[in-house]
Amino acid sequence: MTRTFTETVVIPLASPKDAKRTAAAVVPYLDPPPDHVLAVTVVEKTEGGMDKAPLEQMTERAEETLEIVAERFDEAGVPIETRVLYGEKVIETILDAAQEADASSIVMTPRNASRWVKLLSGDTALSLMMNTDRPLIVVPDPERAD
């Protein structure tokens, strides 16, 4: 049996702003809707080290991010599952979730980041592209299409 890109879609999200942009970009391409859409956001935990912010604060932000995308997908009539993930390495955690969901693709929009930020923290799309074992679909950001 052959698979399609949209059987089971995993959508990684970075922030509330990213959730709004990603939903606006992805929803128009989901007609007909996939069998399963899983939106994830990763709370980065460092084992034995200092975290960027308190866990409770990071979890609240992650839940806010997922609520935004769930609302936008619901308005469009596209069923979506959301999940907060916890991990030391964001890319690895996303890829593990895609593996666990048996995702047919990972769908995202490009993130705005300066060259310095990309140099210091890495480029998410590039890291996903270089490390995934399934299709990565990058949907253009409608805000940048002009």
Side-chain angles (χ1 to χ4, degrees), residues 6-69:
T6 59
E7 282 177 38
T8 301
V9 175
V10 171
I11 303 174
L13 303 164
S15 67
K17 182 179 178 182
D18 182 47
K20 291 174 189 170
R21 288 177 40 248
T22 299
V26 172
V27 165
Y29 290 97
L30 301 180
D31 186 23
D35 295 340
H36 184 223
V37 178
L38 172 62
V40 299
T41 189
V42 179
V43 173
E44 195 173 2
K45 289 282 303 154
T46 52
E47 192 66 37
M50 293 284 292
D51 288 324
K52 296 176 184 176
L55 179 61
E56 184 177 321
Q57 182 181 351
M58 291 188 302
T59 300
E60 286 174 10
R61 181 177 164 92
E63 289 170 351
E64 177 187 352
T65 298
L66 295 174
E67 285 173 19
I68 290 167
V69 80

Short mmCIF file of all heavy atoms in Angstrom, two decimals, residues 6-69:
data_model
loop_
_atom_site.label_atom_id
_atom_site.label_comp_id
_atom_site.label_asym_id
_atom_site.label_seq_id
_atom_site.Cartn_x
_atom_site.Cartn_y
_atom_site.Cartn_z
N THR A 6 -0.18 13.29 3.23
CA THR A 6 -1.11 13.84 4.21
C THR A 6 -1.91 12.81 4.99
O THR A 6 -2.94 13.13 5.56
CB THR A 6 -2.09 14.81 3.52
OG1 THR A 6 -2.80 14.11 2.51
CG2 THR A 6 -1.37 16.01 2.94
N GLU A 7 -1.44 11.57 5.07
CA GLU A 7 -2.14 10.59 5.90
C GLU A 7 -2.06 10.99 7.37
O GLU A 7 -3.08 11.12 8.04
CB GLU A 7 -1.53 9.20 5.72
CG GLU A 7 -1.95 8.52 4.46
CD GLU A 7 -1.27 7.19 4.30
OE1 GLU A 7 -1.07 6.48 5.31
OE2 GLU A 7 -0.93 6.86 3.16
N THR A 8 -0.86 11.12 7.87
CA THR A 8 -0.63 11.52 9.26
C THR A 8 0.41 12.62 9.24
O THR A 8 1.57 12.38 8.90
CB THR A 8 -0.14 10.34 10.11
OG1 THR A 8 -1.11 9.31 10.08
CG2 THR A 8 0.11 10.76 11.55
N VAL A 9 -0.01 13.82 9.58
CA VAL A 9 0.85 15.00 9.51
C VAL A 9 1.24 15.45 10.91
O VAL A 9 0.39 15.59 11.78
CB VAL A 9 0.10 16.14 8.78
CG1 VAL A 9 0.92 17.42 8.78
CG2 VAL A 9 -0.26 15.73 7.37
N VAL A 10 2.53 15.68 11.11
CA VAL A 10 3.01 16.26 12.37
C VAL A 10 3.43 17.69 12.08
O VAL A 10 4.17 17.95 11.13
CB VAL A 10 4.19 15.45 12.96
CG1 VAL A 10 4.82 16.19 14.14
CG2 VAL A 10 3.71 14.07 13.40
N ILE A 11 2.94 18.62 12.90
CA ILE A 11 3.24 20.04 12.72
C ILE A 11 3.93 20.54 13.98
O ILE A 11 3.31 20.69 15.02
CB ILE A 11 1.95 20.85 12.47
CG1 ILE A 11 1.21 20.30 11.26
CG2 ILE A 11 2.28 22.33 12.32
CD1 ILE A 11 -0.14 20.94 11.02
N PRO A 12 5.25 20.81 13.91
CA PRO A 12 5.95 21.37 15.06
C PRO A 12 5.73 22.87 15.15
O PRO A 12 5.71 23.57 14.13
CB PRO A 12 7.42 21.05 14.76
CG PRO A 12 7.50 20.90 13.28
CD PRO A 12 6.15 20.48 12.81
N LEU A 13 5.54 23.36 16.37
CA LEU A 13 5.28 24.78 16.61
C LEU A 13 6.25 25.30 17.65
O LEU A 13 6.57 24.60 18.61
CB LEU A 13 3.85 24.98 17.08
CG LEU A 13 2.77 24.45 16.12
CD1 LEU A 13 1.44 24.35 16.82
CD2 LEU A 13 2.70 25.34 14.90
N ALA A 14 6.67 26.54 17.48
CA ALA A 14 7.68 27.12 18.38
C ALA A 14 7.11 28.10 19.40
O ALA A 14 7.66 28.24 20.48
CB ALA A 14 8.76 27.82 17.55
N SER A 15 6.01 28.77 19.06
CA SER A 15 5.50 29.84 19.92
C SER A 15 4.06 30.17 19.53
O SER A 15 3.59 29.73 18.47
CB SER A 15 6.37 31.09 19.75
OG SER A 15 6.20 31.61 18.44
N PRO A 16 3.38 30.99 20.34
CA PRO A 16 2.04 31.43 19.93
C PRO A 16 2.04 32.14 18.58
O PRO A 16 1.17 31.89 17.75
CB PRO A 16 1.61 32.36 21.08
CG PRO A 16 2.36 31.82 22.27
CD PRO A 16 3.69 31.40 21.71
N LYS A 17 3.00 33.01 18.34
CA LYS A 17 3.08 33.71 17.06
C LYS A 17 3.29 32.71 15.92
O LYS A 17 2.67 32.81 14.86
CB LYS A 17 4.22 34.73 17.09
CG LYS A 17 4.35 35.52 15.82
CD LYS A 17 5.48 36.55 15.91
CE LYS A 17 5.61 37.31 14.60
NZ LYS A 17 6.70 38.26 14.62
N ASP A 18 4.15 31.74 16.13
CA ASP A 18 4.39 30.72 15.12
C ASP A 18 3.13 29.89 14.87
O ASP A 18 2.84 29.51 13.74
CB ASP A 18 5.56 29.82 15.55
CG ASP A 18 5.89 28.75 14.53
OD1 ASP A 18 6.00 29.09 13.32
OD2 ASP A 18 6.06 27.59 14.92
N ALA A 19 2.35 29.62 15.91
CA ALA A 19 1.11 28.86 15.77
C ALA A 19 0.13 29.59 14.86
O ALA A 19 -0.50 28.98 13.99
CB ALA A 19 0.48 28.61 17.14
N LYS A 20 0.01 30.91 15.03
CA LYS A 20 -0.89 31.70 14.18
C LYS A 20 -0.42 31.67 12.73
O LYS A 20 -1.21 31.45 11.82
CB LYS A 20 -0.94 33.15 14.68
CG LYS A 20 -1.64 33.31 16.00
CD LYS A 20 -1.54 34.73 16.51
CE LYS A 20 -2.05 34.82 17.93
NZ LYS A 20 -1.77 36.11 18.55
N ARG A 21 0.87 31.90 12.51
CA ARG A 21 1.42 31.92 11.16
C ARG A 21 1.31 30.55 10.49
O ARG A 21 0.95 30.44 9.32
CB ARG A 21 2.89 32.37 11.19
CG ARG A 21 3.08 33.83 11.48
CD ARG A 21 4.55 34.26 11.59
NE ARG A 21 5.41 33.66 10.61
CZ ARG A 21 6.38 32.77 10.90
NH1 ARG A 21 6.59 32.39 12.14
NH2 ARG A 21 7.13 32.26 9.95
N THR A 22 1.64 29.52 11.24
CA THR A 22 1.63 28.17 10.69
C THR A 22 0.21 27.74 10.33
O THR A 22 -0.03 27.18 9.26
CB THR A 22 2.28 27.17 11.66
OG1 THR A 22 3.64 27.58 11.87
CG2 THR A 22 2.25 25.76 11.12
N ALA A 23 -0.74 28.00 11.21
CA ALA A 23 -2.14 27.65 10.92
C ALA A 23 -2.62 28.37 9.67
O ALA A 23 -3.24 27.76 8.79
CB ALA A 23 -3.03 27.97 12.11
N ALA A 24 -2.33 29.66 9.56
CA ALA A 24 -2.74 30.43 8.38
C ALA A 24 -2.11 29.87 7.11
O ALA A 24 -2.74 29.85 6.05
CB ALA A 24 -2.36 31.90 8.56
N ALA A 25 -0.90 29.38 7.21
CA ALA A 25 -0.19 28.86 6.04
C ALA A 25 -0.63 27.45 5.68
O ALA A 25 -0.77 27.12 4.50
CB ALA A 25 1.32 28.88 6.29
N VAL A 26 -0.85 26.60 6.67
CA VAL A 26 -1.07 25.17 6.43
C VAL A 26 -2.52 24.83 6.11
O VAL A 26 -2.79 24.03 5.22
CB VAL A 26 -0.57 24.34 7.63
CG1 VAL A 26 -0.97 22.89 7.50
CG2 VAL A 26 0.94 24.47 7.76
N VAL A 27 -3.47 25.44 6.81
CA VAL A 27 -4.88 25.06 6.66
C VAL A 27 -5.36 25.08 5.20
O VAL A 27 -6.04 24.14 4.78
CB VAL A 27 -5.79 25.93 7.58
CG1 VAL A 27 -7.25 25.81 7.19
CG2 VAL A 27 -5.59 25.52 9.03
N PRO A 28 -5.02 26.07 4.39
CA PRO A 28 -5.50 26.05 3.00
C PRO A 28 -5.04 24.83 2.19
O PRO A 28 -5.68 24.46 1.21
CB PRO A 28 -4.92 27.33 2.40
CG PRO A 28 -4.69 28.22 3.56
CD PRO A 28 -4.31 27.31 4.69
N TYR A 29 -3.96 24.20 2.60
CA TYR A 29 -3.44 23.03 1.88
C TYR A 29 -4.08 21.72 2.35
O TYR A 29 -3.80 20.67 1.78
CB TYR A 29 -1.92 22.93 2.05
CG TYR A 29 -1.17 24.00 1.32
CD1 TYR A 29 -0.76 25.15 1.98
CD2 TYR A 29 -0.88 23.88 -0.04
CE1 TYR A 29 -0.06 26.14 1.30
CE2 TYR A 29 -0.19 24.87 -0.72
CZ TYR A 29 0.22 26.00 -0.05
OH TYR A 29 0.89 26.98 -0.71
N LEU A 30 -4.91 21.77 3.36
CA LEU A 30 -5.46 20.54 3.94
C LEU A 30 -6.90 20.29 3.50
O LEU A 30 -7.80 20.08 4.30
CB LEU A 30 -5.38 20.61 5.47
CG LEU A 30 -3.97 20.77 6.05
CD1 LEU A 30 -4.03 20.84 7.56
CD2 LEU A 30 -3.05 19.67 5.58
N ASP A 31 -7.11 20.31 2.19
CA ASP A 31 -8.42 20.04 1.64
C ASP A 31 -8.27 18.98 0.57
O ASP A 31 -7.70 19.26 -0.48
CB ASP A 31 -9.03 21.31 1.06
CG ASP A 31 -10.47 21.11 0.61
OD1 ASP A 31 -11.12 20.17 1.11
OD2 ASP A 31 -10.92 21.88 -0.24
N PRO A 32 -8.68 17.76 0.81
CA PRO A 32 -9.37 17.26 1.99
C PRO A 32 -8.41 17.12 3.18
O PRO A 32 -7.20 17.01 3.00
CB PRO A 32 -9.87 15.89 1.55
CG PRO A 32 -8.90 15.45 0.51
CD PRO A 32 -8.45 16.70 -0.18
N PRO A 33 -8.97 17.12 4.39
CA PRO A 33 -8.12 17.01 5.59
C PRO A 33 -7.40 15.67 5.67
O PRO A 33 -7.90 14.66 5.20
CB PRO A 33 -9.11 17.14 6.75
CG PRO A 33 -10.37 17.64 6.18
CD PRO A 33 -10.38 17.27 4.73
N PRO A 34 -6.22 15.67 6.26
CA PRO A 34 -5.49 14.41 6.48
C PRO A 34 -6.27 13.50 7.43
O PRO A 34 -7.17 13.94 8.14
CB PRO A 34 -4.18 14.85 7.13
CG PRO A 34 -4.10 16.31 6.93
CD PRO A 34 -5.49 16.82 6.75
N ASP A 35 -5.87 12.24 7.45
CA ASP A 35 -6.48 11.30 8.39
C ASP A 35 -6.20 11.70 9.84
O ASP A 35 -7.04 11.54 10.71
CB ASP A 35 -5.94 9.88 8.16
CG ASP A 35 -6.33 9.33 6.80
OD1 ASP A 35 -7.31 9.84 6.20
OD2 ASP A 35 -5.65 8.41 6.32
N HIS A 36 -5.00 12.22 10.07
CA HIS A 36 -4.59 12.58 11.44
C HIS A 36 -3.61 13.73 11.39
O HIS A 36 -2.64 13.69 10.64
CB HIS A 36 -3.95 11.36 12.12
CG HIS A 36 -3.59 11.58 13.54
ND1 HIS A 36 -2.40 11.15 14.06
CD2 HIS A 36 -4.24 12.18 14.57
CE1 HIS A 36 -2.35 11.47 15.34
NE2 HIS A 36 -3.46 12.10 15.67
N VAL A 37 -3.88 14.77 12.16
CA VAL A 37 -2.96 15.90 12.30
C VAL A 37 -2.56 15.98 13.76
O VAL A 37 -3.40 16.00 14.65
CB VAL A 37 -3.61 17.24 11.87
CG1 VAL A 37 -2.64 18.39 12.06
CG2 VAL A 37 -4.09 17.18 10.43
N LEU A 38 -1.26 16.02 13.99
CA LEU A 38 -0.72 16.13 15.34
C LEU A 38 0.16 17.37 15.40
O LEU A 38 1.18 17.45 14.71
CB LEU A 38 0.12 14.89 15.70
CG LEU A 38 0.90 14.96 17.02
CD1 LEU A 38 -0.03 15.10 18.21
CD2 LEU A 38 1.79 13.73 17.17
N ALA A 39 -0.25 18.36 16.19
CA ALA A 39 0.56 19.55 16.41
C ALA A 39 1.34 19.36 17.71
O ALA A 39 0.77 18.95 18.72
CB ALA A 39 -0.30 20.79 16.49
N VAL A 40 2.63 19.64 17.66
CA VAL A 40 3.47 19.47 18.84
C VAL A 40 4.28 20.73 19.10
O VAL A 40 4.60 21.48 18.19
CB VAL A 40 4.44 18.26 18.69
CG1 VAL A 40 3.67 16.97 18.51
CG2 VAL A 40 5.43 18.47 17.57
N THR A 41 4.58 20.94 20.36
CA THR A 41 5.53 21.97 20.75
C THR A 41 6.40 21.36 21.85
O THR A 41 5.92 20.55 22.65
CB THR A 41 4.84 23.27 21.19
OG1 THR A 41 5.82 24.29 21.37
CG2 THR A 41 4.04 23.10 22.46
N VAL A 42 7.66 21.73 21.84
CA VAL A 42 8.62 21.10 22.75
C VAL A 42 9.02 22.08 23.85
O VAL A 42 9.43 23.20 23.59
CB VAL A 42 9.89 20.64 21.99
CG1 VAL A 42 10.90 20.01 22.94
CG2 VAL A 42 9.51 19.66 20.88
N VAL A 43 8.88 21.59 25.08
CA VAL A 43 9.43 22.31 26.24
C VAL A 43 10.82 21.73 26.44
O VAL A 43 10.97 20.54 26.74
CB VAL A 43 8.55 22.12 27.50
CG1 VAL A 43 9.23 22.72 28.72
CG2 VAL A 43 7.18 22.73 27.28
N GLU A 44 11.80 22.58 26.24
CA GLU A 44 13.19 22.13 26.29
C GLU A 44 13.65 22.04 27.75
O GLU A 44 13.65 23.03 28.47
CB GLU A 44 14.07 23.10 25.51
CG GLU A 44 15.44 22.57 25.20
CD GLU A 44 16.22 23.49 24.28
OE1 GLU A 44 15.71 24.56 23.90
OE2 GLU A 44 17.35 23.11 23.95
N LYS A 45 14.00 20.83 28.15
CA LYS A 45 14.49 20.58 29.51
C LYS A 45 15.96 20.20 29.42
O LYS A 45 16.35 19.39 28.60
CB LYS A 45 13.72 19.41 30.14
CG LYS A 45 12.30 19.69 30.50
CD LYS A 45 12.15 20.47 31.77
CE LYS A 45 12.80 19.74 32.92
NZ LYS A 45 13.24 20.59 33.99
N THR A 46 16.75 20.79 30.26
CA THR A 46 18.17 20.44 30.29
C THR A 46 18.44 19.61 31.53
O THR A 46 18.14 20.03 32.65
CB THR A 46 19.06 21.69 30.29
OG1 THR A 46 18.64 22.57 31.34
CG2 THR A 46 18.95 22.42 28.97
N GLU A 47 18.95 18.42 31.32
CA GLU A 47 19.25 17.50 32.42
C GLU A 47 20.42 18.03 33.23
O GLU A 47 21.52 18.17 32.72
CB GLU A 47 19.57 16.11 31.86
CG GLU A 47 19.60 15.01 32.89
CD GLU A 47 18.25 14.75 33.53
OE1 GLU A 47 17.23 14.83 32.83
OE2 GLU A 47 18.23 14.48 34.74
N GLY A 48 20.15 18.36 34.49
CA GLY A 48 21.21 18.80 35.38
C GLY A 48 21.71 20.22 35.14
O GLY A 48 22.63 20.67 35.77
N GLY A 49 21.09 20.94 34.23
CA GLY A 49 21.52 22.29 33.92
C GLY A 49 20.43 23.30 34.22
O GLY A 49 19.36 22.98 34.70
N MET A 50 20.73 24.54 33.92
CA MET A 50 19.78 25.62 34.13
C MET A 50 18.82 25.67 32.95
O MET A 50 19.25 25.66 31.80
CB MET A 50 20.51 26.96 34.25
CG MET A 50 21.38 27.08 35.48
SD MET A 50 20.41 27.38 36.95
CE MET A 50 19.79 29.01 36.61
N ASP A 51 17.52 25.72 33.22
CA ASP A 51 16.54 25.88 32.16
C ASP A 51 16.38 27.36 31.85
O ASP A 51 16.68 28.22 32.67
CB ASP A 51 15.19 25.28 32.60
CG ASP A 51 15.23 23.76 32.62
OD1 ASP A 51 15.90 23.18 31.75
OD2 ASP A 51 14.59 23.17 33.51
N LYS A 52 15.90 27.64 30.64
CA LYS A 52 15.73 29.02 30.18
C LYS A 52 14.70 29.77 31.01
O LYS A 52 14.78 30.97 31.18
CB LYS A 52 15.34 29.04 28.71
CG LYS A 52 16.41 28.48 27.80
CD LYS A 52 15.95 28.41 26.37
CE LYS A 52 17.00 27.75 25.53
NZ LYS A 52 16.58 27.57 24.15
N ALA A 53 13.68 29.07 31.48
CA ALA A 53 12.60 29.65 32.28
C ALA A 53 12.04 28.54 33.16
O ALA A 53 12.30 27.37 32.92
CB ALA A 53 11.52 30.21 31.35
N PRO A 54 11.27 28.91 34.18
CA PRO A 54 10.66 27.87 35.01
C PRO A 54 9.77 26.93 34.18
O PRO A 54 9.10 27.37 33.24
CB PRO A 54 9.82 28.67 36.00
CG PRO A 54 10.42 30.03 36.02
CD PRO A 54 10.96 30.25 34.64
N LEU A 55 9.78 25.66 34.53
CA LEU A 55 9.03 24.63 33.80
C LEU A 55 7.56 25.00 33.68
O LEU A 55 6.97 24.87 32.61
CB LEU A 55 9.19 23.27 34.48
CG LEU A 55 8.45 22.11 33.84
CD1 LEU A 55 8.95 21.88 32.42
CD2 LEU A 55 8.62 20.85 34.68
N GLU A 56 6.97 25.48 34.75
CA GLU A 56 5.54 25.84 34.73
C GLU A 56 5.28 26.94 33.70
O GLU A 56 4.31 26.87 32.93
CB GLU A 56 5.10 26.30 36.12
CG GLU A 56 3.63 26.60 36.21
CD GLU A 56 3.21 26.98 37.62
OE1 GLU A 56 3.71 26.37 38.59
OE2 GLU A 56 2.37 27.89 37.74
N GLN A 57 6.15 27.92 33.64
CA GLN A 57 6.00 29.02 32.69
C GLN A 57 6.15 28.51 31.25
O GLN A 57 5.37 28.88 30.36
CB GLN A 57 7.03 30.10 32.97
CG GLN A 57 6.94 31.32 32.07
CD GLN A 57 8.02 32.34 32.39
OE1 GLN A 57 8.74 32.23 33.38
NE2 GLN A 57 8.12 33.34 31.54
N MET A 58 7.13 27.66 31.01
CA MET A 58 7.33 27.12 29.66
C MET A 58 6.16 26.22 29.24
O MET A 58 5.75 26.24 28.08
CB MET A 58 8.66 26.35 29.59
CG MET A 58 9.88 27.26 29.70
SD MET A 58 11.45 26.45 29.39
CE MET A 58 11.49 25.13 30.57
N THR A 59 5.62 25.46 30.19
CA THR A 59 4.48 24.60 29.89
C THR A 59 3.24 25.43 29.56
O THR A 59 2.50 25.11 28.62
CB THR A 59 4.20 23.64 31.06
OG1 THR A 59 5.37 22.83 31.26
CG2 THR A 59 3.00 22.74 30.79
N GLU A 60 3.00 26.51 30.29
CA GLU A 60 1.87 27.39 30.01
C GLU A 60 1.98 28.00 28.61
O GLU A 60 1.00 28.07 27.88
CB GLU A 60 1.77 28.51 31.06
CG GLU A 60 1.26 28.04 32.39
CD GLU A 60 1.32 29.13 33.46
OE1 GLU A 60 1.57 30.31 33.14
OE2 GLU A 60 1.11 28.79 34.64
N ARG A 61 3.17 28.42 28.24
CA ARG A 61 3.40 28.98 26.90
C ARG A 61 3.15 27.92 25.83
O ARG A 61 2.55 28.18 24.79
CB ARG A 61 4.80 29.55 26.80
CG ARG A 61 5.12 30.17 25.45
CD ARG A 61 6.52 30.78 25.47
NE ARG A 61 7.02 31.05 24.15
CZ ARG A 61 6.89 32.19 23.51
NH1 ARG A 61 6.27 33.19 24.09
NH2 ARG A 61 7.39 32.35 22.30
N ALA A 62 3.60 26.70 26.08
CA ALA A 62 3.39 25.59 25.14
C ALA A 62 1.90 25.32 24.98
O ALA A 62 1.41 25.13 23.86
CB ALA A 62 4.13 24.35 25.61
N GLU A 63 1.17 25.30 26.08
CA GLU A 63 -0.27 25.06 26.02
C GLU A 63 -0.99 26.18 25.28
O GLU A 63 -1.91 25.92 24.49
CB GLU A 63 -0.83 24.87 27.43
CG GLU A 63 -0.39 23.55 28.06
CD GLU A 63 -0.70 23.43 29.53
OE1 GLU A 63 -1.13 24.43 30.15
OE2 GLU A 63 -0.51 22.32 30.08
N GLU A 64 -0.56 27.42 25.50
CA GLU A 64 -1.13 28.57 24.78
C GLU A 64 -0.89 28.41 23.27
O GLU A 64 -1.78 28.65 22.46
CB GLU A 64 -0.49 29.87 25.28
CG GLU A 64 -0.96 31.10 24.54
CD GLU A 64 -0.18 32.36 24.94
OE1 GLU A 64 0.61 32.31 25.90
OE2 GLU A 64 -0.38 33.38 24.27
N THR A 65 0.31 27.99 22.91
CA THR A 65 0.66 27.77 21.50
C THR A 65 -0.28 26.75 20.88
O THR A 65 -0.82 26.96 19.79
CB THR A 65 2.13 27.30 21.40
OG1 THR A 65 2.98 28.33 21.91
CG2 THR A 65 2.51 26.97 19.97
N LEU A 66 -0.48 25.65 21.56
CA LEU A 66 -1.33 24.58 21.03
C LEU A 66 -2.81 24.96 21.00
O LEU A 66 -3.53 24.56 20.09
CB LEU A 66 -1.10 23.29 21.81
CG LEU A 66 0.31 22.71 21.67
CD1 LEU A 66 0.49 21.52 22.59
CD2 LEU A 66 0.61 22.34 20.22
N GLU A 67 -3.25 25.75 21.96
CA GLU A 67 -4.64 26.22 21.97
C GLU A 67 -4.91 27.08 20.74
O GLU A 67 -5.98 26.97 20.12
CB GLU A 67 -4.93 27.02 23.24
CG GLU A 67 -5.10 26.17 24.47
CD GLU A 67 -5.22 27.00 25.75
OE1 GLU A 67 -5.54 28.21 25.66
OE2 GLU A 67 -5.01 26.43 26.83
N ILE A 68 -3.97 27.92 20.37
CA ILE A 68 -4.13 28.79 19.20
C ILE A 68 -4.29 27.96 17.94
O ILE A 68 -5.21 28.17 17.15
CB ILE A 68 -2.94 29.76 19.08
CG1 ILE A 68 -3.00 30.79 20.20
CG2 ILE A 68 -2.92 30.44 17.70
CD1 ILE A 68 -1.73 31.61 20.37
N VAL A 69 -3.40 27.01 17.74
CA VAL A 69 -3.47 26.21 16.51
C VAL A 69 -4.72 25.33 16.51
O VAL A 69 -5.37 25.16 15.47
CB VAL A 69 -2.17 25.41 16.27
CG1 VAL A 69 -2.11 24.15 17.11
CG2 VAL A 69 -2.01 25.07 14.80
#
